[in-house]
mmCIF file of all heavy atoms in Angstrom:
data_model
loop_
_atom_site.group_PDB
_atom_site.id
_atom_site.type_symbol
_atom_site.label_atom_id
_atom_site.label_comp_id
_atom_site.label_asym_id
_atom_site.label_seq_id
_atom_site.Cartn_x
_atom_site.Cartn_y
_atom_site.Cartn_z
ATOM 1 N N ARG A 998 132.322 116.400 135.132
ATOM 2 C CA ARG A 998 131.591 116.974 133.998
ATOM 3 C C ARG A 998 131.814 116.191 132.706
ATOM 4 O O ARG A 998 131.394 116.626 131.630
ATOM 5 C CB ARG A 998 131.981 118.431 133.825
ATOM 6 C CG ARG A 998 131.597 119.289 135.034
ATOM 7 C CD ARG A 998 131.942 120.750 134.846
ATOM 8 N NE ARG A 998 131.607 121.516 136.054
ATOM 9 C CZ ARG A 998 131.751 122.834 136.167
ATOM 10 N NH1 ARG A 998 132.230 123.526 135.145
ATOM 11 N NH2 ARG A 998 131.436 123.442 137.295
ATOM 12 N N SER A 999 132.473 115.022 132.813
ATOM 13 C CA SER A 999 132.640 114.136 131.658
ATOM 14 C C SER A 999 132.818 112.716 132.151
ATOM 15 O O SER A 999 133.163 112.485 133.327
ATOM 16 C CB SER A 999 133.842 114.556 130.813
ATOM 17 O OG SER A 999 135.056 114.244 131.462
ATOM 18 N N TRP A 1000 132.572 111.748 131.287
ATOM 19 C CA TRP A 1000 132.718 110.346 131.654
ATOM 20 C C TRP A 1000 134.130 110.034 132.102
ATOM 21 O O TRP A 1000 134.349 109.206 132.983
ATOM 22 C CB TRP A 1000 132.323 109.436 130.488
ATOM 23 C CG TRP A 1000 130.864 109.315 130.255
ATOM 24 C CD1 TRP A 1000 130.148 109.866 129.237
ATOM 25 C CD2 TRP A 1000 129.896 108.623 131.066
ATOM 26 N NE1 TRP A 1000 128.812 109.551 129.361
ATOM 27 C CE2 TRP A 1000 128.634 108.774 130.468
ATOM 28 C CE3 TRP A 1000 129.992 107.878 132.234
ATOM 29 C CZ2 TRP A 1000 127.471 108.234 130.996
ATOM 30 C CZ3 TRP A 1000 128.818 107.318 132.772
ATOM 31 C CH2 TRP A 1000 127.592 107.498 132.157
ATOM 32 N N THR A 1001 135.109 110.707 131.507
ATOM 33 C CA THR A 1001 136.503 110.451 131.854
ATOM 34 C C THR A 1001 136.851 110.890 133.276
ATOM 35 O O THR A 1001 137.863 110.476 133.823
ATOM 36 C CB THR A 1001 137.452 111.158 130.849
ATOM 37 O OG1 THR A 1001 137.142 112.558 130.827
ATOM 38 C CG2 THR A 1001 137.273 110.579 129.455
ATOM 39 N N ASP A 1002 136.003 111.744 133.862
ATOM 40 C CA ASP A 1002 136.216 112.177 135.253
ATOM 41 C C ASP A 1002 135.721 111.151 136.263
ATOM 42 O O ASP A 1002 135.988 111.292 137.463
ATOM 43 C CB ASP A 1002 135.493 113.509 135.511
ATOM 44 C CG ASP A 1002 136.049 114.665 134.697
ATOM 45 O OD1 ASP A 1002 137.224 114.605 134.339
ATOM 46 O OD2 ASP A 1002 135.300 115.630 134.439
ATOM 47 N N LEU A 1003 134.998 110.145 135.803
ATOM 48 C CA LEU A 1003 134.372 109.183 136.711
ATOM 49 C C LEU A 1003 135.242 107.945 136.898
ATOM 50 O O LEU A 1003 135.842 107.447 135.941
ATOM 51 C CB LEU A 1003 133.007 108.741 136.172
ATOM 52 C CG LEU A 1003 131.925 109.826 136.033
ATOM 53 C CD1 LEU A 1003 130.675 109.219 135.382
ATOM 54 C CD2 LEU A 1003 131.578 110.418 137.384
ATOM 55 N N PRO A 1004 135.315 107.402 138.115
ATOM 56 C CA PRO A 1004 136.012 106.132 138.367
ATOM 57 C C PRO A 1004 135.330 105.003 137.588
ATOM 58 O O PRO A 1004 134.115 105.044 137.356
ATOM 59 C CB PRO A 1004 135.878 105.935 139.875
ATOM 60 C CG PRO A 1004 135.509 107.271 140.437
ATOM 61 C CD PRO A 1004 134.749 107.972 139.346
ATOM 62 N N ALA A 1005 136.094 103.986 137.232
ATOM 63 C CA ALA A 1005 135.585 102.862 136.460
ATOM 64 C C ALA A 1005 134.426 102.177 137.172
ATOM 65 O O ALA A 1005 133.430 101.782 136.545
ATOM 66 C CB ALA A 1005 136.696 101.871 136.167
ATOM 67 N N LEU A 1006 134.506 102.043 138.509
ATOM 68 C CA LEU A 1006 133.468 101.364 139.260
ATOM 69 C C LEU A 1006 132.180 102.194 139.310
ATOM 70 O O LEU A 1006 131.083 101.644 139.397
ATOM 71 C CB LEU A 1006 133.942 101.037 140.681
ATOM 72 C CG LEU A 1006 134.981 99.905 140.779
ATOM 73 C CD1 LEU A 1006 135.541 99.807 142.201
ATOM 74 C CD2 LEU A 1006 134.371 98.572 140.371
ATOM 75 N N ALA A 1007 132.313 103.510 139.282
ATOM 76 C CA ALA A 1007 131.130 104.382 139.237
ATOM 77 C C ALA A 1007 130.418 104.223 137.887
ATOM 78 O O ALA A 1007 129.183 104.157 137.826
ATOM 79 C CB ALA A 1007 131.517 105.831 139.463
ATOM 80 N N ILE A 1008 131.199 104.173 136.813
ATOM 81 C CA ILE A 1008 130.623 103.946 135.486
ATOM 82 C C ILE A 1008 129.944 102.586 135.421
ATOM 83 O O ILE A 1008 128.847 102.448 134.868
ATOM 84 C CB ILE A 1008 131.720 104.054 134.401
ATOM 85 C CG1 ILE A 1008 132.258 105.491 134.340
ATOM 86 C CG2 ILE A 1008 131.164 103.640 133.026
ATOM 87 C CD1 ILE A 1008 133.433 105.665 133.411
ATOM 88 N N LYS A 1009 130.574 101.573 136.044
ATOM 89 C CA LYS A 1009 129.993 100.228 136.071
ATOM 90 C C LYS A 1009 128.639 100.250 136.758
ATOM 91 O O LYS A 1009 127.692 99.594 136.341
ATOM 92 C CB LYS A 1009 130.945 99.278 136.772
ATOM 93 C CG LYS A 1009 130.502 97.826 136.760
ATOM 94 C CD LYS A 1009 131.519 96.927 137.462
ATOM 95 C CE LYS A 1009 131.054 95.471 137.469
ATOM 96 N NZ LYS A 1009 132.025 94.590 138.193
ATOM 97 N N TYR A 1010 128.545 101.005 137.866
ATOM 98 C CA TYR A 1010 127.287 101.132 138.616
ATOM 99 C C TYR A 1010 126.203 101.780 137.745
ATOM 100 O O TYR A 1010 125.069 101.295 137.706
ATOM 101 C CB TYR A 1010 127.526 101.951 139.888
ATOM 102 C CG TYR A 1010 126.295 102.170 140.745
ATOM 103 C CD1 TYR A 1010 125.807 101.155 141.548
ATOM 104 C CD2 TYR A 1010 125.660 103.401 140.769
ATOM 105 C CE1 TYR A 1010 124.679 101.343 142.349
ATOM 106 C CE2 TYR A 1010 124.548 103.617 141.571
ATOM 107 C CZ TYR A 1010 124.064 102.584 142.358
ATOM 108 O OH TYR A 1010 122.950 102.789 143.139
ATOM 109 N N VAL A 1011 126.574 102.848 137.056
ATOM 110 C CA VAL A 1011 125.623 103.530 136.175
ATOM 111 C C VAL A 1011 125.151 102.596 135.066
ATOM 112 O O VAL A 1011 123.955 102.539 134.747
ATOM 113 C CB VAL A 1011 126.252 104.807 135.585
ATOM 114 C CG1 VAL A 1011 125.318 105.426 134.536
ATOM 115 C CG2 VAL A 1011 126.573 105.817 136.680
ATOM 116 N N ARG A 1012 126.079 101.847 134.473
ATOM 117 C CA ARG A 1012 125.719 100.919 133.404
ATOM 118 C C ARG A 1012 124.772 99.836 133.904
ATOM 119 O O ARG A 1012 123.878 99.376 133.179
ATOM 120 C CB ARG A 1012 126.980 100.282 132.809
ATOM 121 C CG ARG A 1012 127.922 101.258 132.095
ATOM 122 C CD ARG A 1012 127.236 102.014 131.006
ATOM 123 N NE ARG A 1012 128.147 102.832 130.228
ATOM 124 C CZ ARG A 1012 127.804 103.955 129.601
ATOM 125 N NH1 ARG A 1012 126.550 104.373 129.620
ATOM 126 N NH2 ARG A 1012 128.698 104.639 128.922
ATOM 127 N N ARG A 1013 124.976 99.397 135.135
ATOM 128 C CA ARG A 1013 124.081 98.375 135.688
ATOM 129 C C ARG A 1013 122.667 98.931 135.881
ATOM 130 O O ARG A 1013 121.685 98.223 135.620
ATOM 131 C CB ARG A 1013 124.636 97.871 137.033
ATOM 132 C CG ARG A 1013 123.795 96.776 137.691
ATOM 133 C CD ARG A 1013 123.575 95.596 136.768
ATOM 134 N NE ARG A 1013 122.846 94.503 137.436
ATOM 135 C CZ ARG A 1013 122.113 93.598 136.813
ATOM 136 N NH1 ARG A 1013 122.026 93.605 135.480
ATOM 137 N NH2 ARG A 1013 121.484 92.644 137.489
ATOM 138 N N ILE A 1014 122.552 100.168 136.302
ATOM 139 C CA ILE A 1014 121.237 100.794 136.427
ATOM 140 C C ILE A 1014 120.567 100.880 135.050
ATOM 141 O O ILE A 1014 119.372 100.578 134.902
ATOM 142 C CB ILE A 1014 121.347 102.188 137.073
ATOM 143 C CG1 ILE A 1014 121.665 102.038 138.570
ATOM 144 C CG2 ILE A 1014 120.069 102.993 136.883
ATOM 145 C CD1 ILE A 1014 121.898 103.353 139.307
ATOM 146 N N GLU A 1015 121.319 101.274 134.031
ATOM 147 C CA GLU A 1015 120.785 101.312 132.658
ATOM 148 C C GLU A 1015 120.278 99.936 132.238
ATOM 149 O O GLU A 1015 119.208 99.813 131.642
ATOM 150 C CB GLU A 1015 121.862 101.775 131.682
ATOM 151 C CG GLU A 1015 122.228 103.241 131.776
ATOM 152 C CD GLU A 1015 123.280 103.618 130.760
ATOM 153 O OE1 GLU A 1015 124.216 102.815 130.529
ATOM 154 O OE2 GLU A 1015 123.179 104.721 130.177
ATOM 155 N N GLU A 1016 121.036 98.909 132.556
ATOM 156 C CA GLU A 1016 120.688 97.542 132.180
ATOM 157 C C GLU A 1016 119.402 97.104 132.867
ATOM 158 O O GLU A 1016 118.506 96.519 132.235
ATOM 159 C CB GLU A 1016 121.842 96.598 132.538
ATOM 160 C CG GLU A 1016 121.623 95.153 132.131
ATOM 161 C CD GLU A 1016 122.799 94.277 132.525
ATOM 162 O OE1 GLU A 1016 123.516 94.572 133.511
ATOM 163 O OE2 GLU A 1016 123.004 93.258 131.833
ATOM 164 N N LEU A 1017 119.303 97.389 134.148
ATOM 165 C CA LEU A 1017 118.136 96.973 134.925
ATOM 166 C C LEU A 1017 116.880 97.731 134.503
ATOM 167 O O LEU A 1017 115.779 97.170 134.504
ATOM 168 C CB LEU A 1017 118.386 97.171 136.418
ATOM 169 C CG LEU A 1017 119.384 96.204 137.065
ATOM 170 C CD1 LEU A 1017 119.824 96.724 138.434
ATOM 171 C CD2 LEU A 1017 118.773 94.812 137.197
ATOM 172 N N LEU A 1018 117.037 98.995 134.144
ATOM 173 C CA LEU A 1018 115.897 99.823 133.737
ATOM 174 C C LEU A 1018 115.620 99.741 132.237
ATOM 175 O O LEU A 1018 114.610 100.262 131.759
ATOM 176 C CB LEU A 1018 116.115 101.288 134.144
ATOM 177 C CG LEU A 1018 116.275 101.570 135.633
ATOM 178 C CD1 LEU A 1018 116.395 103.070 135.864
ATOM 179 C CD2 LEU A 1018 115.121 100.996 136.445
ATOM 180 N N GLN A 1019 116.547 99.115 131.537
ATOM 181 C CA GLN A 1019 116.429 98.958 130.081
ATOM 182 C C GLN A 1019 116.247 100.297 129.372
ATOM 183 O O GLN A 1019 115.390 100.456 128.495
ATOM 184 C CB GLN A 1019 115.283 97.993 129.742
ATOM 185 C CG GLN A 1019 115.484 96.595 130.308
ATOM 186 C CD GLN A 1019 114.342 95.653 129.997
ATOM 187 O OE1 GLN A 1019 113.338 95.999 129.384
ATOM 188 N NE2 GLN A 1019 114.472 94.408 130.415
ATOM 189 N N THR A 1020 117.076 101.236 129.778
ATOM 190 C CA THR A 1020 117.064 102.554 129.164
ATOM 191 C C THR A 1020 118.423 103.193 129.299
ATOM 192 O O THR A 1020 119.307 102.666 129.970
ATOM 193 C CB THR A 1020 115.983 103.452 129.799
ATOM 194 O OG1 THR A 1020 115.778 104.612 128.976
ATOM 195 C CG2 THR A 1020 116.402 103.908 131.200
ATOM 196 N N GLN A 1021 118.609 104.338 128.671
ATOM 197 C CA GLN A 1021 119.890 105.023 128.661
ATOM 198 C C GLN A 1021 119.875 106.219 129.603
ATOM 199 O O GLN A 1021 118.867 106.911 129.747
ATOM 200 C CB GLN A 1021 120.229 105.492 127.247
ATOM 201 C CG GLN A 1021 121.600 106.145 127.100
ATOM 202 C CD GLN A 1021 121.837 106.699 125.706
ATOM 203 O OE1 GLN A 1021 120.921 107.134 125.042
ATOM 204 N NE2 GLN A 1021 123.084 106.676 125.273
ATOM 205 N N VAL A 1022 121.030 106.456 130.250
ATOM 206 C CA VAL A 1022 121.220 107.673 131.009
ATOM 207 C C VAL A 1022 121.437 108.807 130.012
ATOM 208 O O VAL A 1022 122.380 108.782 129.218
ATOM 209 C CB VAL A 1022 122.392 107.570 131.986
ATOM 210 C CG1 VAL A 1022 122.735 108.931 132.578
ATOM 211 C CG2 VAL A 1022 122.065 106.594 133.112
ATOM 212 N N THR A 1023 120.559 109.772 130.039
ATOM 213 C CA THR A 1023 120.623 110.933 129.147
ATOM 214 C C THR A 1023 121.483 112.036 129.742
ATOM 215 O O THR A 1023 122.267 112.673 129.059
ATOM 216 C CB THR A 1023 119.208 111.456 128.853
ATOM 217 O OG1 THR A 1023 118.440 110.428 128.239
ATOM 218 C CG2 THR A 1023 119.244 112.669 127.941
ATOM 219 N N LEU A 1024 121.298 112.258 131.043
ATOM 220 C CA LEU A 1024 122.062 113.239 131.800
ATOM 221 C C LEU A 1024 122.536 112.605 133.092
ATOM 222 O O LEU A 1024 121.858 111.753 133.662
ATOM 223 C CB LEU A 1024 121.210 114.465 132.139
ATOM 224 C CG LEU A 1024 120.788 115.411 131.015
ATOM 225 C CD1 LEU A 1024 119.636 116.283 131.484
ATOM 226 C CD2 LEU A 1024 121.936 116.275 130.598
ATOM 227 N N LEU A 1025 123.692 113.041 133.569
ATOM 228 C CA LEU A 1025 124.223 112.559 134.838
ATOM 229 C C LEU A 1025 124.614 113.767 135.678
ATOM 230 O O LEU A 1025 125.430 114.591 135.258
ATOM 231 C CB LEU A 1025 125.434 111.653 134.605
ATOM 232 C CG LEU A 1025 126.033 110.956 135.830
ATOM 233 C CD1 LEU A 1025 125.041 109.998 136.442
ATOM 234 C CD2 LEU A 1025 127.312 110.209 135.432
ATOM 235 N N SER A 1026 124.018 113.906 136.864
ATOM 236 C CA SER A 1026 124.296 115.019 137.738
ATOM 237 C C SER A 1026 125.230 114.591 138.869
ATOM 238 O O SER A 1026 125.000 113.570 139.504
ATOM 239 C CB SER A 1026 122.995 115.570 138.334
ATOM 240 O OG SER A 1026 123.261 116.528 139.337
ATOM 241 N N THR A 1027 126.278 115.386 139.112
ATOM 242 C CA THR A 1027 127.262 115.008 140.113
ATOM 243 C C THR A 1027 127.386 116.011 141.264
ATOM 244 O O THR A 1027 128.286 115.904 142.082
ATOM 245 C CB THR A 1027 128.646 114.828 139.451
ATOM 246 O OG1 THR A 1027 129.006 116.037 138.764
ATOM 247 C CG2 THR A 1027 128.624 113.663 138.462
ATOM 248 N N SER A 1028 126.475 116.961 141.310
ATOM 249 C CA SER A 1028 126.380 117.884 142.446
ATOM 250 C C SER A 1028 125.158 118.778 142.208
ATOM 251 O O SER A 1028 124.605 118.782 141.107
ATOM 252 C CB SER A 1028 127.641 118.750 142.570
ATOM 253 O OG SER A 1028 127.492 120.006 141.937
#
């Protein structure tokens, strides 16, 4: 329920998707 709960590699994956789509993740669902 927070960025601090996510592994570094998971955050890296999300950031790469943002980069490729040239937009920001507004919400992140984890279940």
Side-chain angles (χ1 to χ4, degrees):
R998 297 182 183 182
S999 72
W1000 284 107
T1001 56
D1002 295 334
L1003 297 176
L1006 288 172
I1008 295 174
K1009 185 179 179 182
Y1010 180 76
V1011 173
R1012 295 303 186 208
R1013 181 55 176 155
I1014 287 176
E1015 288 181 321
E1016 183 180 28
L1017 289 165
L1018 299 183
Q1019 299 179 358
T1020 194
Q1021 184 185 32
V1022 169
T1023 300
L1024 290 163
L1025 185 64
S1026 172
T1027 56
S1028 95

